[in-house]
PDB file of all heavy atoms in Angstrom:
ATOM      1  N   ALA A 277    -109.917 129.170 104.920  1.00  0.00           N
ATOM      2  CA  ALA A 277    -108.438 129.360 105.296  1.00  0.00           C
ATOM      3  C   ALA A 277    -108.222 130.773 105.803  1.00  0.00           C
ATOM      4  O   ALA A 277    -107.457 130.970 106.784  1.00  0.00           O
ATOM      5  CB  ALA A 277    -107.577 129.105 104.024  1.00  0.00           C
ATOM      6  N   TRP A 278    -108.892 131.761 105.249  1.00  0.00           N
ATOM      7  CA  TRP A 278    -108.663 133.133 105.699  1.00  0.00           C
ATOM      8  C   TRP A 278    -109.315 133.336 107.111  1.00  0.00           C
ATOM      9  O   TRP A 278    -108.673 133.942 108.000  1.00  0.00           O
ATOM     10  CB  TRP A 278    -109.363 134.143 104.758  1.00  0.00           C
ATOM     11  CG  TRP A 278    -109.553 135.522 105.455  1.00  0.00           C
ATOM     12  CD1 TRP A 278    -110.670 136.094 105.721  1.00  0.00           C
ATOM     13  CD2 TRP A 278    -108.482 136.312 105.952  1.00  0.00           C
ATOM     14  NE1 TRP A 278    -110.450 137.336 106.384  1.00  0.00           N
ATOM     15  CE2 TRP A 278    -109.129 137.481 106.535  1.00  0.00           C
ATOM     16  CE3 TRP A 278    -107.123 136.220 105.964  1.00  0.00           C
ATOM     17  CZ2 TRP A 278    -108.365 138.480 107.118  1.00  0.00           C
ATOM     18  CZ3 TRP A 278    -106.401 137.257 106.556  1.00  0.00           C
ATOM     19  CH2 TRP A 278    -107.038 138.371 107.152  1.00  0.00           C
ATOM     20  N   ALA A 279    -110.433 132.653 107.368  1.00  0.00           N
ATOM     21  CA  ALA A 279    -110.953 132.728 108.714  1.00  0.00           C
ATOM     22  C   ALA A 279    -110.033 132.192 109.753  1.00  0.00           C
ATOM     23  O   ALA A 279    -109.857 132.797 110.878  1.00  0.00           O
ATOM     24  CB  ALA A 279    -112.349 131.999 108.790  1.00  0.00           C
ATOM     25  N   ALA A 280    -109.328 131.107 109.425  1.00  0.00           N
ATOM     26  CA  ALA A 280    -108.339 130.556 110.340  1.00  0.00           C
ATOM     27  C   ALA A 280    -107.153 131.445 110.499  1.00  0.00           C
ATOM     28  O   ALA A 280    -106.705 131.746 111.598  1.00  0.00           O
ATOM     29  CB  ALA A 280    -107.883 129.173 109.868  1.00  0.00           C
ATOM     30  N   ALA A 281    -106.685 131.993 109.379  1.00  0.00           N
ATOM     31  CA  ALA A 281    -105.554 132.992 109.428  1.00  0.00           C
ATOM     32  C   ALA A 281    -105.948 134.195 110.257  1.00  0.00           C
ATOM     33  O   ALA A 281    -105.186 134.720 111.054  1.00  0.00           O
ATOM     34  CB  ALA A 281    -105.146 133.372 108.016  1.00  0.00           C
ATOM     35  N   HIS A 282    -107.158 134.724 110.014  1.00  0.00           N
ATOM     36  CA  HIS A 282    -107.609 135.951 110.757  1.00  0.00           C
ATOM     37  C   HIS A 282    -107.640 135.732 112.234  1.00  0.00           C
ATOM     38  O   HIS A 282    -107.173 136.544 113.028  1.00  0.00           O
ATOM     39  CB  HIS A 282    -108.951 136.336 110.214  1.00  0.00           C
ATOM     40  CG  HIS A 282    -109.536 137.578 110.848  1.00  0.00           C
ATOM     41  ND1 HIS A 282    -110.489 137.533 111.813  1.00  0.00           N
ATOM     42  CD2 HIS A 282    -109.223 138.871 110.649  1.00  0.00           C
ATOM     43  CE1 HIS A 282    -110.825 138.743 112.240  1.00  0.00           C
ATOM     44  NE2 HIS A 282    -109.990 139.584 111.519  1.00  0.00           N
ATOM     45  N   SER A 283    -108.155 134.521 112.625  1.00  0.00           N
ATOM     46  CA  SER A 283    -108.178 134.157 114.059  1.00  0.00           C
ATOM     47  C   SER A 283    -106.746 134.126 114.601  1.00  0.00           C
ATOM     48  O   SER A 283    -106.501 134.612 115.723  1.00  0.00           O
ATOM     49  CB  SER A 283    -108.877 132.864 114.260  1.00  0.00           C
ATOM     50  OG  SER A 283    -108.859 132.469 115.577  1.00  0.00           O
ATOM     51  N   ASP A 284    -105.873 133.498 113.880  1.00  0.00           N
ATOM     52  CA  ASP A 284    -104.436 133.362 114.337  1.00  0.00           C
ATOM     53  C   ASP A 284    -103.823 134.737 114.456  1.00  0.00           C
ATOM     54  O   ASP A 284    -103.133 134.994 115.454  1.00  0.00           O
ATOM     55  CB  ASP A 284    -103.610 132.535 113.359  1.00  0.00           C
ATOM     56  CG  ASP A 284    -103.980 131.093 113.330  1.00  0.00           C
ATOM     57  OD1 ASP A 284    -104.793 130.661 114.185  1.00  0.00           O
ATOM     58  OD2 ASP A 284    -103.564 130.356 112.380  1.00  0.00           O
ATOM     59  N   TRP A 285    -104.092 135.598 113.486  1.00  0.00           N
ATOM     60  CA  TRP A 285    -103.529 136.984 113.602  1.00  0.00           C
ATOM     61  C   TRP A 285    -104.037 137.740 114.845  1.00  0.00           C
ATOM     62  O   TRP A 285    -103.269 138.424 115.432  1.00  0.00           O
ATOM     63  CB  TRP A 285    -103.823 137.751 112.294  1.00  0.00           C
ATOM     64  CG  TRP A 285    -102.866 137.524 111.132  1.00  0.00           C
ATOM     65  CD1 TRP A 285    -103.245 137.026 109.919  1.00  0.00           C
ATOM     66  CD2 TRP A 285    -101.447 137.676 111.110  1.00  0.00           C
ATOM     67  NE1 TRP A 285    -102.123 137.010 109.102  1.00  0.00           N
ATOM     68  CE2 TRP A 285    -101.052 137.322 109.832  1.00  0.00           C
ATOM     69  CE3 TRP A 285    -100.560 138.079 112.063  1.00  0.00           C
ATOM     70  CZ2 TRP A 285     -99.717 137.378 109.436  1.00  0.00           C
ATOM     71  CZ3 TRP A 285     -99.219 138.163 111.679  1.00  0.00           C
ATOM     72  CH2 TRP A 285     -98.771 137.767 110.388  1.00  0.00           C
ATOM     73  N   ARG A 286    -105.290 137.587 115.105  1.00  0.00           N
ATOM     74  CA  ARG A 286    -105.885 138.306 116.197  1.00  0.00           C
ATOM     75  C   ARG A 286    -105.194 137.917 117.542  1.00  0.00           C
ATOM     76  O   ARG A 286    -104.919 138.770 118.377  1.00  0.00           O
ATOM     77  CB  ARG A 286    -107.405 138.098 116.282  1.00  0.00           C
ATOM     78  CG  ARG A 286    -108.209 138.897 115.286  1.00  0.00           C
ATOM     79  CD  ARG A 286    -109.615 139.134 115.764  1.00  0.00           C
ATOM     80  NE  ARG A 286    -109.601 140.024 116.867  1.00  0.00           N
ATOM     81  CZ  ARG A 286    -110.617 140.119 117.791  1.00  0.00           C
ATOM     82  NH1 ARG A 286    -111.657 139.296 117.671  1.00  0.00           N
ATOM     83  NH2 ARG A 286    -110.583 140.982 118.732  1.00  0.00           N
ATOM     84  N   GLY A 287    -104.997 136.610 117.700  1.00  0.00           N
ATOM     85  CA  GLY A 287    -104.323 136.131 118.913  1.00  0.00           C
ATOM     86  C   GLY A 287    -102.868 136.656 118.956  1.00  0.00           C
ATOM     87  O   GLY A 287    -102.399 137.075 120.041  1.00  0.00           O
ATOM     88  N   TRP A 288    -102.225 136.637 117.834  1.00  0.00           N
ATOM     89  CA  TRP A 288    -100.832 137.164 117.703  1.00  0.00           C
ATOM     90  C   TRP A 288    -100.739 138.598 118.116  1.00  0.00           C
ATOM     91  O   TRP A 288     -99.931 138.997 118.978  1.00  0.00           O
ATOM     92  CB  TRP A 288    -100.326 136.857 116.324  1.00  0.00           C
ATOM     93  CG  TRP A 288     -98.930 137.318 115.979  1.00  0.00           C
ATOM     94  CD1 TRP A 288     -98.193 138.359 116.549  1.00  0.00           C
ATOM     95  CD2 TRP A 288     -98.079 136.750 114.996  1.00  0.00           C
ATOM     96  NE1 TRP A 288     -96.950 138.420 115.916  1.00  0.00           N
ATOM     97  CE2 TRP A 288     -96.892 137.494 114.989  1.00  0.00           C
ATOM     98  CE3 TRP A 288     -98.188 135.691 114.093  1.00  0.00           C
ATOM     99  CZ2 TRP A 288     -95.832 137.192 114.105  1.00  0.00           C
ATOM    100  CZ3 TRP A 288     -97.160 135.399 113.190  1.00  0.00           C
ATOM    101  CH2 TRP A 288     -96.012 136.127 113.218  1.00  0.00           C
ATOM    102  N   ILE A 289    -101.574 139.437 117.408  1.00  0.00           N
ATOM    103  CA  ILE A 289    -101.380 140.889 117.652  1.00  0.00           C
ATOM    104  C   ILE A 289    -101.932 141.266 119.024  1.00  0.00           C
ATOM    105  O   ILE A 289    -101.420 142.264 119.638  1.00  0.00           O
ATOM    106  CB  ILE A 289    -102.028 141.728 116.546  1.00  0.00           C
ATOM    107  CG1 ILE A 289    -103.557 141.532 116.551  1.00  0.00           C
ATOM    108  CG2 ILE A 289    -101.493 141.464 115.189  1.00  0.00           C
ATOM    109  CD1 ILE A 289    -104.291 142.598 115.715  1.00  0.00           C
ATOM    110  N   SER A 290    -102.898 140.523 119.529  1.00  0.00           N
ATOM    111  CA  SER A 290    -103.395 140.837 120.927  1.00  0.00           C
ATOM    112  C   SER A 290    -102.296 140.565 121.914  1.00  0.00           C
ATOM    113  O   SER A 290    -102.095 141.350 122.893  1.00  0.00           O
ATOM    114  CB  SER A 290    -104.673 140.028 121.205  1.00  0.00           C
ATOM    115  OG  SER A 290    -105.728 140.419 120.330  1.00  0.00           O
ATOM    116  N   ARG A 291    -101.558 139.410 121.745  1.00  0.00           N
ATOM    117  CA  ARG A 291    -100.437 139.174 122.672  1.00  0.00           C
ATOM    118  C   ARG A 291     -99.354 140.242 122.518  1.00  0.00           C
ATOM    119  O   ARG A 291     -98.903 140.768 123.555  1.00  0.00           O
ATOM    120  CB  ARG A 291     -99.855 137.788 122.291  1.00  0.00           C
ATOM    121  CG  ARG A 291     -98.522 137.528 122.975  1.00  0.00           C
ATOM    122  CD  ARG A 291     -97.857 136.253 122.546  1.00  0.00           C
ATOM    123  NE  ARG A 291     -97.562 136.117 121.148  1.00  0.00           N
ATOM    124  CZ  ARG A 291     -96.548 136.695 120.531  1.00  0.00           C
ATOM    125  NH1 ARG A 291     -95.677 137.423 121.171  1.00  0.00           N
ATOM    126  NH2 ARG A 291     -96.378 136.490 119.182  1.00  0.00           N
ATOM    127  N   GLU A 292     -99.050 140.564 121.304  1.00  0.00           N
ATOM    128  CA  GLU A 292     -97.993 141.633 121.120  1.00  0.00           C
ATOM    129  C   GLU A 292     -98.379 142.950 121.698  1.00  0.00           C
ATOM    130  O   GLU A 292     -97.560 143.650 122.235  1.00  0.00           O
ATOM    131  CB  GLU A 292     -97.683 141.738 119.610  1.00  0.00           C
ATOM    132  CG  GLU A 292     -96.815 140.615 119.055  1.00  0.00           C
ATOM    133  CD  GLU A 292     -96.227 140.978 117.744  1.00  0.00           C
ATOM    134  OE1 GLU A 292     -96.739 141.743 117.000  1.00  0.00           O
ATOM    135  OE2 GLU A 292     -95.131 140.340 117.403  1.00  0.00           O
ATOM    136  N   ASN A 293     -99.635 143.302 121.558  1.00  0.00           N
ATOM    137  CA  ASN A 293    -100.097 144.594 122.105  1.00  0.00           C
ATOM    138  C   ASN A 293    -100.006 144.613 123.599  1.00  0.00           C
ATOM    139  O   ASN A 293     -99.650 145.599 124.230  1.00  0.00           O
ATOM    140  CB  ASN A 293    -101.530 144.924 121.617  1.00  0.00           C
ATOM    141  CG  ASN A 293    -101.602 145.269 120.158  1.00  0.00           C
ATOM    142  OD1 ASN A 293    -100.607 145.540 119.524  1.00  0.00           O
ATOM    143  ND2 ASN A 293    -102.791 145.275 119.584  1.00  0.00           N
ATOM    144  N   LEU A 294    -100.394 143.475 124.244  1.00  0.00           N
ATOM    145  CA  LEU A 294    -100.260 143.381 125.659  1.00  0.00           C
ATOM    146  C   LEU A 294     -98.810 143.497 126.086  1.00  0.00           C
ATOM    147  O   LEU A 294     -98.472 144.209 127.070  1.00  0.00           O
ATOM    148  CB  LEU A 294    -100.840 142.096 126.156  1.00  0.00           C
ATOM    149  CG  LEU A 294    -102.329 141.943 126.395  1.00  0.00           C
ATOM    150  CD1 LEU A 294    -102.703 140.588 126.814  1.00  0.00           C
ATOM    151  CD2 LEU A 294    -102.820 142.973 127.445  1.00  0.00           C
ATOM    152  N   GLU A 295     -97.950 142.799 125.346  1.00  0.00           N
ATOM    153  CA  GLU A 295     -96.522 142.914 125.726  1.00  0.00           C
ATOM    154  C   GLU A 295     -95.982 144.286 125.596  1.00  0.00           C
ATOM    155  O   GLU A 295     -95.154 144.724 126.410  1.00  0.00           O
ATOM    156  CB  GLU A 295     -95.719 141.956 124.763  1.00  0.00           C
ATOM    157  CG  GLU A 295     -96.032 140.458 125.070  1.00  0.00           C
ATOM    158  CD  GLU A 295     -95.451 139.555 123.969  1.00  0.00           C
ATOM    159  OE1 GLU A 295     -95.019 140.039 122.993  1.00  0.00           O
ATOM    160  OE2 GLU A 295     -95.446 138.278 124.184  1.00  0.00           O
TER     161      GLU A 295
END
Side-chain angles (χ1 to χ4, degrees):
W278 164 244
H282 181 258
S283 177
D284 291 350
W285 277 123
R286 285 204 69 202
W288 178 331
I289 65 165
S290 296
R291 169 184 59 80
E292 285 195 335
N293 288 347
L294 277 177
E295 291 169 348

